[in-house]
Amino acid sequence: FGSAVERLRFSGARRGAPTPKRLGLQLGRIVPARCAAYAQAFEVRRACRLTEPTPPLIEQFLGRLGQRFDRPASFYIFGGSALLLLGGPRNTGDVDFTFVIETEMADPFRQAIEAVGKEMGLDLEESDPAEFMPLPAGAEGRHRRIGRFGRIDAYIFDLYSIALMKLDRAFPADVEDVHYLIRAGYIE
């Protein structure tokens, strides 16, 4: 059991790698329901002693990543972690991200992300929002800058795209996240 969880623990830093979310892992058992898969990812996180992301922890992660990796890159955060950075009301268990970098530097960058995430006990999930759905017009111009960390520029991914991804999944917490974005004036 321990070795399987260890292999899954930080595998999200590699595109398409198996993760508790993707496999629906429930402490070693596959569960059929999509909601149960997401809920049980938190059980795996607790079993692995993963740290729940907070805004200061995410910024600390970005700072350490900028110290470890000395090449230009753009790092985009989306999902619940992005909402946390905006002052959103609910917790999340992972940091969803994507990035843009020179092709030959992608694997070394993933390795740096994985190493820093492992050191900090963060569950990192790499995926490309454009793989979920077509991005809305103007998405590239609506990323919100978090800051520069070494040579890495960090952003919150386009909030309209985040809202569409959440509505597509349509869990009650996702719908509440979209309501938060509207109430806070981040999207119309």
Side-chain angles (χ1 to χ4, degrees), residues 42 45 50-59 61 77 80-82 84-85 90-96 120-124:
F42 288 98
R45 190 171 294 105
L50 296 178
T51 305
E52 192 170 275
T54 62
L57 194 62
I58 293 168
E59 289 189 23
F61 163 78
I77 296 175
S81 294
L84 272 179
L85 290 170
R90 74 175 182 88
N91 295 333
T92 186
D94 61 7
V95 178
D96 297 306
M120 296 181 67
L122 289 171
D123 183 10
L124 303 169

Side-chain angles (χ1 to χ4, degrees), residues 19-46 169 171-172:
T19 64
K21 280 186 180 178
R22 291 187 186 113
L23 293 178
L25 185 69
Q26 180 185 8
L27 303 176
R29 297 187 308 269
I30 300 298
V31 293
R34 197 164 119 182
C35 289
Y38 283 96
Q40 298 311 317
F42 288 98
E43 292 299 319
V44 170
R45 190 171 294 105
R46 189 169 23 255
R169 195 167 72 171
F171 292 155

Side-chain angles (χ1 to χ4, degrees), residues 32-156:
R34 197 164 119 182
C35 289
Y38 283 96
Q40 298 311 317
F42 288 98
E43 292 299 319
V44 170
R45 190 171 294 105
R46 189 169 23 255
C48 295
R49 293 181 175 79
L50 296 178
T51 305
E52 192 170 275
T54 62
L57 194 62
I58 293 168
E59 289 189 23
Q60 183 182 7
F61 163 78
L62 292 169
R64 287 187 187 181
L65 183 60
Q67 291 171 348
R68 177 157 307 186
F69 192 82
D70 189 30
R71 295 293 199 125
S74 295
F75 189 88
Y76 301 90
I77 296 175
F78 59 98
S81 294
L83 273 66
L84 272 179
L85 290 170
L86 295 171
R90 74 175 182 88
N91 295 333
T92 186
D94 61 7
V95 178
D96 297 306
F97 73 93
T98 191
F99 61 83
V100 175
I101 194 168
E102 298 171 12
T103 305
E104 65 274 5
M105 297 309 301
D107 285 337
F109 191 45
R110 280 187 187 98
Q111 291 168 359
I113 292 166
E114 182 175 343
V116 174
K118 188 172 186 175
E119 289 167 10
M120 296 181 67
L122 289 171
D123 183 10
L124 303 169
E125 297 284 336
E126 180 188 5
S127 61
D128 183 357
E131 291 177 0
F132 290 106
M133 60 178 193
L135 298 179
E140 282 297 315
R142 289 192 300 261
H143 303 306
R144 292 175 163 260
R145 187 175 173 83
I146 298 168
R148 187 171 184 100
F149 302 86
R151 296 180 68 190
I152 300 169
D153 291 306
Y155 301 90
I156 294 174

